[in-house]
Amino acid sequence: MRTLLVLILSAVLIAGCGGGQWTHPAKGPAELSRDMAECKMLARDIGRNKSHTGKRVELIAYQQALHSCLAQKGWTLADPGKAPEKPASGSQVLLTRSGEGVLNFDQDRIVLPQDVRISKQSVGAFGPVIMDTVDIEGRIGQMEYSGQLIAQKLVTKAKFESILYNLNEPYFTYSVGRTSGGLRWRSFAVKIGEEWYGGVGSYWPLSRDRRVVITLAATLPGQTGPPPSGCRLTPAQGEALDRFIVQVLPWFENFKVKKKFRDYFRWEQYYFIWGD
Amino acid sequence: MIRSAPPLKRQYLEVLLHALLCLLLFALHPALASEGSTNSLPGYAGYSGLWDMPNARVLPDWKMRLGYSLSYPYYYFHTTVGLFDRLEVNGRVTGIRGVPALEEDYGDYKDKSLDIKLVLLKESGRLPALALGANDIHGTGLFSARYIALSKRIGAVDITWGLVQGMLGGKSASERLEEIPEGSDDPGFAYLFSRDTDFVGYWGIEWNLNERLSLAVEYSPIDWEEVNGGNEAESNITFGLKYTLWEHLHLSLSYARGEELSGGVVVEFPLEPEGLLTWKREPKPIRQEKLLLQAAEADDGELARLLVSVLEKDGFIKAGVMASTPRLWVEIENTKYNSSGLAFRRLFEIVDEIAPERFTRLYFALIRDGVFQTGLAVSRGGMRHYVKSKIDTVGFLEFAELTHEREELWSGFNPEGATIMPARSRPKGWSLTLEPRLDSFVNDPSGFFKTAFSLDLAGTVKPWPGGMWAARFSVPLYNDVSTSNEVEEPEPASTDIVDYLGRKSPHLTAYGYDHIFELPSAVRARLGVGAFEAAFAGFGAEVFRYFGDGRFGLGLQGERVWKRDVDNDFRLDEDNETPYYTYFLNLYGQPFGRSGVEVGLRLGRFLGGDDGARFEICRTFKHFTIGAWYSSTDTSGFESSYNRGYHDKGVFISFPFSSFRDGPVRGRYHYSIAPWTRDPGQMVSQFRTLYPLGSEPETIWSVADSIWEARR
């Protein structure tokens, strides 16, 4: 029933929205048509892959893939009547310090762990995302850790997806969970060279175009014997990572996910379906 | 004998011939011809055809059509379903403007009709499609007709020619009555098998101008002056346009009978469980190193507890696990997916990820309400083979065993009869839901359409396996249910139902206890006590057993109930203390292979004391069910002429929640339409039933099917 309502309301919303316009600094309509056809084909494959049966196109995945593909080819989506949005370029400070151990990202506050040291702050951009990265270091119990807070802001009409902290090999998942404030986190481990590391990471969604990537990591003990069959870590490494997780999770409780924001993604998703 | 068609007026004939010539020239010209599908849009009444006349086309298999059309003075609400690309069933209500019904409140005169069409030969090569059909085959027979239709597509033009009898052939109702046995209480059905030999020819042409637009013209021999509410037609020709606005929405506009601008709107959609939204692919279970470490170091009992916890987190709210190296028993209640194959698959993905390799033999049990349904015994390697390769159901069943008997699965898992402690999830044993409920009642003499809309608070408590307390509290928000029919039976089964359904104050619709027992040899038994429905309270009992692989079943059922007090939810009616009792022998079968067709027969005594049979047929396919029932009972014991000779019948449909969601979620909506103010052939509801018709039971037969479904 709710889905139906969403569909109906979305249709009403879209009726007043109109479509955006793709613009490119060097290409014209003919090139757009060619790029669009190419990207649609690619997006369709991705959309099918993301659907349960593989027979139909999953429209959200399709839309995201299409936007991403066109963006990679240099196209930018703009509202009709408005000046085209500029791709992210240059640098912009997103995280400002206010008081001891507090960072501000627009109106949102980030309280840093106790006795933390900010070692570096750098700004940059990647595609349509501008980023402000703060490197931190500290100690929890006997474990020293280092971490990163990456404030990200989108400068195009694209939206951040509400997803679990992403990992790729050689990183692998140790455990996943959710704080009482609704923040989903993933703990991980990795072997780099001869060293083992473990950590916890999360995406803290703030709005459709702003989020903070939080990662804390520490060194794990080395392997004194082979791990159990089918495992990559030894029990001792697992215990060390567990201790680390137990100690950092109370800090993760500071990051509350707005309920309104969680719902927001659903609305956006259906907007996308009909807005293509 | 073939009657000649009535002479056409000269000017129409000229126009028609000209149009025909143009159409054929255009259609046969290769540059202008466009290939269209051989599926046809409906005419006014809902069946595939031109305008009033049918063609030899039918809706594709498991496709449905809903529509409304107006061709003054007639208007039609119609629902059509296509079956097996051969059969089309159309149900409609025809209203006639300007013809009053017996009672003023009822509005215009309205007539229900059932039409069927069977394609005997599909179009191939030079041969046209050939279909046999009949309209209004049950009831008053106001529009009863029979026909043979031939349709042939040439380029973009679909040409139909046919022979027709009855109303469509210009025969009046009184002339049709002469063709059937005198005093027949079902003129529609009697005409279907009458010896009427008078045929009249008709024809029609539908030209697909492009993918969206078609032009249709027909010659119909209907004598409108002889049809209830009709007048002499200006012409036998009707022509117009059919336009596809969206993929599933079609509009039509026509100039009917040379006198009326007519139109209609139709929605057509395939009955697919993946409906409005594309189903998203469910991410694979996340491989968590922590769980692997815990599993690697766990003993059998600890592993069972770990698996239960993981299954719960994945959404299997009722799970039980027993581990006895090298065997692992996992039982779940599938509350997650619309298919048990998908549940098995997910279960295996989780178990295979976590269970150490020392477990080589898996025993999966599907449970419903704590009662064993179907078990699957399979080697771990075999299951991996199934998940990762493209083997079909037959191949899978070569290394897997399915059973309805818990004992059989258990003896494989625990051949030594050892004591193994199970780990079980602790699901909340209760549920409470707020359900808006809309009941529609049609065709009472006091008004064609009556509605009861309420907000129901439905609760269940399942304190132990098999047991269930249930209650439903109803808060009426709108209710105009009433009837002008008098209750004539001293102990009515259903004719006093308006007293119960028309209540406008909050009330407990149902409450009581129900228990399902697992008996040896896969026999199931059920006992229920309480207020089963608004009108009846008492006791109910049932036993049922599947045979073979679950395609057939046999059961016994009986109820002893009393009328409830309309004004007091906790009392019985003091003015009617007579107990009502029923008993049935229930037969169930799926005789037509994997077509999804289910048939059922209940033989015994019905609520009104009438002995007889109730025949049920439905098709459950792609998680939709469409079916109908018809009862034939001895009505001589009834006093009311309204009940005597009456046969109870109705139709029902179930459609899956998943067609409105973005995943293959479990659950279905149910809806049925039936007369509600007659006493013959009535049964009393129960909280649950073992009789499986139309309920997607988890039998070996259906599980094997869904295992294949889950592969795709």
Side-chain angles (χ1 to χ4, degrees), chain B residues 399-425:
Chain B
F399 53 78
E401 294 154 37
L402 285 162
T403 178
H404 288 140
E405 296 193 38
R406 182 190 282 271
E407 304 89 347
E408 191 181 328
L409 194 70
W410 180 255
S411 62
F413 169 70
N414 187 12
E416 299 88 14
T419 306
I420 304 168
M421 290 303 291
R424 292 193 186 284
S425 57

Side-chain angles (χ1 to χ4, degrees), chain B residues 376 382 385-386 390-402 594 700-701 703-709 711:
Chain B
L376 169 70
H385 187 49
Y386 156 70
K390 293 278 180 192
I391 55 170
D392 61 10
T393 311
V394 176
F396 176 68
L397 293 177
E398 277 181 15
F399 53 78
E401 294 154 37
L402 285 162
R594 299 270 173 205
I700 294 174
W701 179 253
V703 167
D705 230 10
S706 69
I707 281 173
W708 174 239
E709 186 185 24
R711 282 291 301 116

Side-chain angles (χ1 to χ4, degrees), chain A residues 15-91:
Chain A
C17 286
Q21 196 177 356
W22 289 99
T23 57
H24 194 286
K27 293 182 180 176
E31 286 94 340
L32 173 63
S33 153
R34 198 170 51 240
D35 287 351
M36 183 68 88
E38 201 177 297
C39 286
K40 274 187 174 173
M41 210 182 323
L42 180 79
R44 216 169 284 131
D45 284 348
I46 291 171
R48 277 207 191 94
N49 248 340
K50 293 274 181 180
S51 82
H52 177 83
T53 54
K55 290 178 186 169
R56 285 165 60 167
V57 175
E58 208 286 294
L59 291 171
I60 298 163
Y62 168 81
Q63 191 71 23
Q64 284 166 349
L66 181 66
H67 279 232
S68 162
C69 172
L70 286 166
Q72 278 178 23
K73 291 178 184 291
W75 292 94
T76 316
L77 190 61
D79 281 332
K82 281 189 183 175
E85 291 166 337
K86 288 180 183 162
S89 61
S91 54

Side-chain angles (χ1 to χ4, degrees), chain A residues 3-4 49-53 56-58 60 164 173-176 228 230-233 235 242 269-270, chain B residues 274-281 286-293 296-297 342 660-662 664 669 712:
Chain A
T3 307
L4 267 181
N49 248 340
K50 293 274 181 180
S51 82
H52 177 83
T53 54
R56 285 165 60 167
V57 175
E58 208 286 294
I60 298 163
L164 186 61
T173 303
Y174 180 70
S175 61
V176 294
C231 300
R232 295 207 239 180
L233 293 179
D242 278 334
Q269 284 169 5
Y270 294 111
Chain B
E274 186 179 15
L276 279 178
L277 305 172
T278 303
W279 289 351
K280 286 180 187 165
R281 197 176 60 185
I286 298 171
R287 182 187 167 92
Q288 299 180 53
E289 187 71 10
K290 180 173 178 149
L291 295 175
L292 301 183
L293 279 170
E297 297 191 318
L342 286 174
F660 302 99
R661 304 282 289 276
D662 60 2
Y669 300 99
R712 279 173 278 177

